[in-house]
Amino acid sequence: MKKNRTDHSNSRRKFLKNSALAASSFMIVPRHVLGKGFIPPSDKLNIAGIGVGGMGAANLRNLAPTENIVALCDVDDAYAAKTYETYPNAKRHKDYRKMLEQQKDIDAVVIATPDHLHAVQTVAAMKAGKHVYVQKPLTYTLHEARELAKLAKAMPKIVTQMGNQGHSNDDARLINEIIAADMIGKVTEVHVWTNRPIWPQGIAFPTDAPATPLTLDWDLFLGPAQPRTYNPAYHPFKWRGWVDYGVGALGDMGAHLIDHPVWALGLGAPTHVEASSSQFNGQTYPVASIVYYDFAARGKMPAVRLTWYDGGLLPERPKELLPEEKIDRGGGVLYIGSKGKLMHDTYGSKPRLLPTTKMQDFKAPKQLFPRVGMSHERNWAEACKGNGKANCPFDYAGPLTETMLLGVMALRMPGQKLTWDSANMQFPGTPDLNQYVTRTYRSGFEL
């Protein structure tokens, strides 16, 4: 019997519907089919935050609109309370080791804990097959920075990113292009400054012994650090100035400031480093310091001396500035080339030629670096899903962190020009300083 037109149309619609459903089943593949580390672009990441009361909360806010926040881990329930309220459906943990062992739906981890915890938590997450976003500074020691770069190279399917968000800015790319276009000539001198520390430094250990808050697991805060009695002088936030937990002003802001000349000039490892500072008692970092880095010539690019200033110290005011123009005391970078000067603010923002009258007729050089068009966190998340690459992976962030930490180490031997043997990771002839290349880890928190 011959089908009528209506029967034929219904059959055709049914065929097209079934075909579309079949096609969609191939386009959207569940993550469990793809396996660990393989997440389809059409899917959302399941993200865990470790350290969610401070900067970690901001990182998660930038990720939450497009990803799933499934786990929150913090040693202090009171400090993390607002973040807990923001993501009521996320599972809560205090111990990152138990979280990684017990919660199997996690694809990626954001780590925003004190500096001394970064490496041990990052290694644990990577070995569990998780993509990782780690706040700056990447690590607490030189050895850890080298090891994380090695581990990332050995695990290429794991997407890594350090949280120096200025590395994703459009202005950062313009800086590179200005220098590549030879607009200021051969750069031989760079000055970098910050207003940090904005937390206590240059102080001694507290002598009082208040009770540990019931909301805080102090043992987990200590992690790999050696035992010490709790005191509010250390937590929250004030830990950054203490030698056992942070790496001071240079470790904090170097990733936002030194990053740009290291990137634009391809500086590599320094050959020498020398520091001077206000009094350093070995317990908290100095109130103010100056660090000199010497970098060797690279191909046609000449040797460079980079000078770091913190604690409110500033470089000499450029003579090209007009009387009403000021140096941003909050932080910035000044490049001195054979043809001119370039200055920008923290995070690579507002690059401008000096004198600034040159900017009236400024024509942007050829664009060599594609613009990112999204936050640093989103760039990482998209890379985790196979959409592009992370902007500041560990193969770049590791060496940058090493450069920052070399200056921190030089504070222990002020006034001495130290030779750095990068290949062997040591200052030749200075065993008293070489001991700080690595650290002793407390049992249960090894790297």
Side-chain angles (χ1 to χ4, degrees):
M1 180 178 176
K2 186 177 180 180
K3 293 183 179 180
N4 59 34
R5 182 178 297 274
T6 301
D7 290 336
H8 177 76
S9 297
N10 288 338
S11 297
R12 185 173 183 274
R13 282 195 295 269
K14 184 176 180 180
F15 171 77
L16 291 173
K17 180 180 179 181
N18 290 339
S19 298
L21 289 172
S24 68
S25 69
F26 285 100
M27 288 188 291
I28 304 176
V29 184
R31 64 167 54 86
H32 73 269
V33 173
L34 293 174
K36 187 182 293 185
F38 294 86
I39 299 168
S42 57
D43 209 348
K44 289 186 174 184
L45 289 174
N46 283 346
I47 293 176
I50 304 177
V52 299
M55 189 62 192
N59 296 144
L60 293 177
R61 280 197 300 272
N62 284 336
L63 291 164
T66 56
E67 317 301 333
N68 299 321
I69 310 303
V70 300
L72 301 171
C73 181
D74 203 290
V75 301
D76 189 340
D77 290 339
Y79 194 51
K82 289 184 178 180
T83 307
Y84 290 162
E85 293 173 4
T86 303
Y87 310 101
N89 296 325
K91 295 180 181 179
R92 300 179 189 177
H93 305 265
K94 279 198 171 182
D95 191 330
Y96 69 93
R97 299 167 300 182
K98 292 181 179 179
M99 181 189 74
L100 292 171
E101 179 183 351
Q102 297 171 2
Q103 191 165 343
K104 301 302 182 182
D105 63 339
I106 297 169
D107 299 314
V109 177
V110 174
I111 297 172
T113 51
D115 302 344
H116 72 295
L117 292 161
H118 285 186
V120 294
Q121 293 172 338
T122 300
V123 169
M126 292 179 71
K127 288 185 176 178
K130 315 304 180 187
H131 304 292
V132 285
Y133 181 105
V134 187
Q135 262 306 327
K136 52 76 200 169
L138 183 62
T139 63
Y140 175 79
T141 70
L142 289 159
H143 171 74
E144 290 173 344
R146 189 70 60 94
E147 288 302 304
L148 259 60
K150 287 180 181 177
L151 184 60
K153 185 176 181 180
M155 304 180 74
K157 293 178 182 178
I158 299 295
V159 178
T160 61
Q161 182 102 298
M162 182 172 75
N164 55 334
Q165 61 268 29
H167 204 83
S168 288
N169 288 350
D170 289 358
D171 280 354
R173 283 149 177 74
L174 178 58
I175 292 164
N176 290 3
E177 290 158 356
I178 289 173
I179 290 174
D182 202 37
M183 296 180 75
I184 63 170
K186 304 294 185 183
V187 176
T188 56
E189 191 177 336
V190 179
H191 298 269
V192 186
W193 65 95
T194 180
N195 65 343
R196 268 56 164 190
I198 54 174
W199 50 82
Q201 287 190 185
I203 59 176
F205 289 129
T207 56
D208 59 329
T212 304
L214 296 177
T215 58
L216 173 64
D217 190 320
W218 180 243
D219 186 70
L220 289 176
F221 174 93
L222 291 173
Q226 297 308 301
R228 180 184 296 173
T229 304
Y230 160 80
N231 195 284
Y234 311 131
H235 168 79
F237 180 68
K238 297 175 184 178
W239 52 263
R240 194 176 292 283
W242 292 94
V243 170
D244 284 356
Y245 313 123
V247 285
L250 179 49
D252 177 44
M253 294 304 293
H256 293 313
L257 289 157
I258 294 178
D259 173 28
H260 303 288
V262 164
W263 188 16
L265 299 172
L267 291 180
T271 57
H272 299 86
V273 60
E274 180 181 351
S276 62
S277 73
S278 58
Q279 185 177 4
F280 182 21
N281 60 15
Q283 300 170 11
T284 55
Y285 295 102
V287 172
S289 66
I290 298 177
V291 180
Y292 305 95
Y293 293 95
D294 290 320
F295 297 88
R298 291 96 47 229
K300 295 182 179 180
M301 303 180 80
V304 173
R305 165 156 278 205
L306 184 151
T307 307
W308 166 270
Y309 312 78
D310 62 40
L313 300 177
L314 295 170
E316 182 180 350
R317 177 184 169 87
K319 62 182 181 181
E320 293 84 357
L321 288 180
L322 298 174
E324 65 272 18
E325 294 178 324
K326 298 180 180 180
I327 293 179
D328 184 347
R329 298 186 68 88
V333 180
L334 172 67
Y335 305 75
I336 299 177
S338 57
K339 296 180 182 178
K341 298 178 182 178
L342 170 69
M343 188 164 67
H344 63 74
D345 297 344
T346 308
Y347 311 111
S349 64
K350 301 179 182 177
R352 53 216 183 262
L353 299 173
L354 300 183
T356 52
T357 52
K358 289 186 176 181
M359 299 304 293
Q360 295 174 359
D361 299 317
F362 177 77
K363 293 182 179 179
K366 180 180 179 181
Q367 191 173 114
L368 302 175
F369 295 80
R371 277 31 179 182
V372 179
M374 64 185 74
S375 72
H376 200 52
E377 296 93 340
R378 280 283 313 283
N379 162 252
W380 168 71
E382 291 302 313
C384 291
K385 294 186 284 187
N387 300 323
K389 295 181 179 180
N391 288 326
C392 194
F394 290 178
D395 62 353
Y396 175 85
L400 171 61
T401 301
E402 287 188 33
T403 295
M404 294 153 50
L405 295 178
L406 286 170
V408 177
M409 289 184 66
L411 292 171
R412 296 180 181 274
M413 300 188 73
Q416 297 191 43
K417 187 172 183 178
L418 302 164
T419 299
W420 174 241
D421 179 355
S422 179
N424 294 301
M425 292 195 74
Q426 62 175 307
F427 292 100
T430 55
D432 290 345
L433 189 57
N434 288 330
Q435 64 178 308
Y436 298 107
V437 168
T438 186
R439 67 195 292 195
T440 300
Y441 296 87
R442 196 160 61 102
S443 178
F445 297 93
E446 295 84 1
L447 191 61

